[in-house]
Amino acid sequence: MKLERTVSGLRRELAGAPRPVALVPTMGALHEGHLTLIRRAREQGATVVVSIFVNPAQFGPREDLAAYPRDEERDARLAAEVGADLLFVPPAEEVYPPGFDSRVEVGGVSAELEGDPAHRGPEHFRGVATVVAKLFNMVGPDVALFGQKDAQQALVIRKLARDLDFGVRIEVVPTVRDRDGLALSTRNGYLTAAERERALALSRALRAAEALVEGGELETDRVLEAARAELEQAAVVPEYLELRSAADLSPAERVDGEVLMCVAARVGPARLIDNVILRAPAEPTLDTRPLTGAAT
Ligand code: PAF
């Protein structure tokens, strides 16, 4: 696996590289969720590029930019083990050189949930869209892979790629969970054992909602109530717990088609998010086959 820190080096390396090129953008501190993305990229790409960049533009002033874990040596070893060909680790000045003051703003889905000023605010997805647009321009990937854990981010990036004609296919890979259900996240590392136990309420809440919908309950109030009860039991106060259209994040009146249940909550020092896609059970179809062997 090669390591590049400059855009010119990266482009030189990729000039004759076999296609398709698959890109996995990350902020490092790789865990099994990232490694799953890289393995999936390996299945599809002739060349697999992994980027590591803790993007200051997507962190708010009161967020954990300084505390965000960084361990390039470990990340490089893990990325190589699962088949990355090229690791791109640019310093901040390479991505945001002096004088840089452009921003990419994706409309619609960016303004909801995490993008609401009551939560992370509009700067968050502006920062994500800007860095991802730059990475797409730097790498020119055929496919780029993102995790479903950041469901809203995946929608923003799909729209970014479509609206700005990046010509890259966006693949969203299912959330990887620990055996007890906790969605893998770098921020889980901030939790004590007791906080981690409380954090399990998030995935329990989503599972409770899922079970209810599987049983045929389609009223949003009841589904939300079941999830809220799990959070309350663990004294977890959600920043939001919502049912939204999985396609565009518009509020879901009922569980109809694919509905995203998403939750954000602070547990100890960590702000955690998780989600599940709820699907109403299929209507029983009318069996129109002729009866055979019927008594006459
Ligand atoms: O999901 C992340 O790790 C980041 O938001 C991303 C996509 C690498 C952009 O900085």
Side-chain angles (χ1 to χ4, degrees):
M1 185 184 73
K2 290 246 171 67
L3 171 72
E4 286 295 344
R5 297 191 191 277
T6 63
V7 178
S8 54
L10 173 78
R11 290 210 169 115
R12 206 173 318 113
E13 214 35 69
L14 287 172
R19 301 204 81 96
V21 171
L23 170 66
V24 180
T26 81
M27 298 206 299
L30 301 185
H31 52 63
E32 194 52 38
H34 299 111
L35 302 184
T36 302
L37 294 178
I38 302 171
R39 286 192 200 97
R40 179 76 189 130
R42 180 73 282 164
E43 284 167 18
Q44 317 200 15
T47 303
V48 174
V49 182
V50 175
S51 65
I52 295 180
F53 181 61
V54 183
N55 175 32
Q58 69 189 72
F59 286 78
R62 286 180 305 280
E63 292 187 38
D64 55 344
L65 174 63
Y68 203 83
R70 292 157 171 89
D71 188 344
E72 186 184 312
E73 214 174 284
R74 175 181 171 278
D75 287 346
R77 179 172 46 77
L78 292 174
E81 273 171 19
V82 288
D85 297 305
L86 183 54
L87 191 64
F88 179 49
V89 193
E93 323 78 76
E94 186 70 10
V95 180
Y96 301 123
F100 179 95
D101 61 2
S102 300
R103 285 285 182 275
V104 176
E105 177 137 9
V106 175
V109 285
S110 283
E112 307 292 326
L113 303 170
E114 295 291 287
D116 187 314
H119 305 302
R120 294 190 82 172
E123 271 303 320
H124 173 63
F125 285 121
R126 231 175 263 152
V128 170
T130 302
V131 82
V132 171
K134 285 182 67 98
L135 287 166
F136 286 172
N137 281 329
M138 291 169 183
V139 175
D142 299 291
V143 57
L145 297 96
F146 299 87
Q148 173 66 21
K149 219 256 304 144
D150 296 300
Q152 185 177 7
Q153 169 174 282
L155 287 172
V156 169
I157 291 168
R158 266 196 208 289
K159 188 159 169 22
L160 166 79
R162 199 172 47 231
D163 285 0
L164 300 187
D165 302 304
F166 273 107
V168 56
R169 185 167 65 76
I170 305 301
E171 178 164 328
V172 180
V173 176
T175 303
V176 179
R177 297 180 182 278
D178 266 337
R179 260 209 290 270
D180 55 15
L182 189 68
L184 295 194
S185 161
T186 302
R187 292 182 170 103
N188 294 349
Y190 301 158
L191 301 170
T192 62
E195 288 162 350
R196 197 186 176 289
E197 201 52 41
R198 281 181 58 223
L200 289 176
L202 271 71
S203 54
R204 270 204 308 270
L206 299 176
R207 268 208 313 272
E210 196 172 36
L212 214 58
V213 170
E214 278 166 10
E217 180 58 73
L218 305 181
E219 292 303 324
T220 52
D221 286 354
R222 297 228 180 80
V223 175
L224 284 166
E225 206 176 291
R228 212 171 286 122
E230 291 292 340
L231 296 176
E232 269 168 21
Q233 240 176 45
V236 171
V237 180
E239 265 189 30
Y240 60 76
L241 172 70
E242 303 223 12
L243 286 167
R244 298 290 185 107
S245 148
D248 61 10
L249 299 185
S250 57
E253 306 300 340
R254 261 171 82 76
V255 180
D256 208 2
E258 291 199 335
V259 169
L260 187 72
M261 173 170 259
C262 35
V263 59
R266 205 165 268 287
V267 180
R271 185 176 180 281
L272 304 175
I273 57 172
D274 200 355
N275 69 82
V276 68
I277 294 181
L278 303 175
R279 295 177 182 87
E283 295 282 329
T285 48
L286 266 184
D287 189 349
T288 51
R289 285 170 302 171
L291 289 174
T292 52
T296 52

